[in-house]
Amino acid sequence: MSLNDEISAAFEDRVFYHGTDLEATESIARHGFSVWFTDEDGDRYPSGGHLGNGIYITCNWRIALIFGEA
């Protein structure tokens, strides 16, 4: 079994959570995840994030709730 296979197998039986607001939840349900960043002028572009590019998820629903009620 390769390392990629081992990593994939570790995720098979997990549930992941992503905390956000209700408006974003509806958009995610309709269109899937998108990574957007807002600059100092309020302009949005698809990049960035507090920890770099990506979508942040957790296996702990309590942690997800810190970042949004939905």
Side-chain angles (χ1 to χ4, degrees):
M1 179 180 276
S2 73
L3 180 59
N4 285 338
D5 292 337
E6 288 180 45
I7 292 170
S8 294
F11 285 91
E12 285 180 5
D13 296 323
R14 300 265 182 178
V15 174
F16 294 96
Y17 301 92
H18 171 77
T20 191
D21 60 39
L22 185 57
E23 181 180 336
T25 301
E26 293 169 351
S27 177
I28 291 167
R30 270 189 280 198
H31 309 290
F33 281 105
S34 296
V35 179
W36 289 91
F37 184 76
T38 304
D39 64 16
E40 297 101 24
D41 298 324
D43 295 326
R44 294 179 60 192
Y45 54 94
S47 183
H50 295 291
L51 300 174
N53 291 336
I55 296 169
Y56 312 115
I57 59 175
T58 178
C59 292
N60 186 327
W61 61 268
R62 291 175 184 95
I63 291 173
L65 287 177
I66 293 169
F67 297 94
E69 72 279 3

